[in-house]
Amino acid sequence: MRSTKKAWLNFSLSALALLAGIHTCLGSEAFFRALEPRAFKFPGDHAEHPGFQTEWWYYTGNLVSTRHRPFGFQLTFFRVQLKPAPFVSASAWRTNQLYFAHLTVSDLDGEQFLMAEKSGRGAAGIGGVSSDAHRVRVFLHNWEAVIRGRRHQVRARSDRFGIDLALVSQKPPVLHGERGLSRKGVGPGQASYYYSLTRMRTKGILRLGQETFD
């Protein structure tokens, strides 16, 4: 598949915590906040930023199959931190992080919009972010986004549809707002650190029911 697409990767203190059912009374004022521009360093900034309450990795794009059938897709991973302070527990199940993921495909010719979602804790191998000098992996259950330099691999599937796509960034990251500080309001910290990869060559497979499209 070919694609002109975007990937948004964003870490912030935001209202998404409310959508996840987490109220700001958990002490959001103690979370890290986006107060002023900062220096971005890659590939490190593709990974997680603990201390910020909310963070997401967001892929969306348009695809055309070898049979000239158009599709749209979107895959998003969210990380939500429950409390500002880290904690240590003897239980492998206890965690300070929750993960949510959302997958959609638009089948234009078939006039249908498909969606699936997952949620889980950042423990016991259910969800999380792993990184080293060469690779960043964001995952939830069997859905994942793997980043190696300019190359991204995204895999997610439900019973009805799925994607397995390789994306290669054609341009350097674009910083939103003031050198990456994207303001959402006039008050201190009403902002997020935000950058995008705005053009990514994409190839792979999209599955729709019993059909597979290249």
Side-chain angles (χ1 to χ4, degrees), residues 72-106:
F73 79 94
Q74 171 256 324
L75 175 63
T76 308
F77 294 89
F78 300 98
R79 179 190 65 80
V80 178
Q81 187 163 321
L82 298 178
K83 295 183 178 181
F87 60 82
V88 178
S89 173
S91 172
W93 291 93
R94 191 177 182 192
T95 178
N96 197 26
Q97 309 285 346
L98 296 179
Y99 287 85
F100 304 87
H102 188 252
L103 170 68
T104 67
V105 164
S106 298

Side-chain angles (χ1 to χ4, degrees), residues 1-8 58-64 70-76 102-108 112-114 144 152-156 161-167 200-207:
M1 293 183 174
R2 303 178 300 278
S3 170
T4 299
K5 64 161 301 291
K6 296 182 179 180
W8 286 272
Y58 180 57
Y59 293 86
T60 182
N62 297 302
L63 305 169
V64 179
F71 295 95
F73 79 94
Q74 171 256 324
L75 175 63
T76 308
H102 188 252
L103 170 68
T104 67
V105 164
S106 298
D107 174 16
L108 279 67
Q112 59 178 330
F113 177 77
L114 304 170
E144 67 175 0
H152 298 235
Q153 188 80 35
V154 295
R155 300 182 181 93
F161 69 104
I163 57 173
D164 188 341
L165 303 174
L167 310 95
M200 303 184 79
R201 187 176 67 245
T202 303
K203 295 182 179 180
I205 294 172
L206 184 147
R207 184 177 62 84

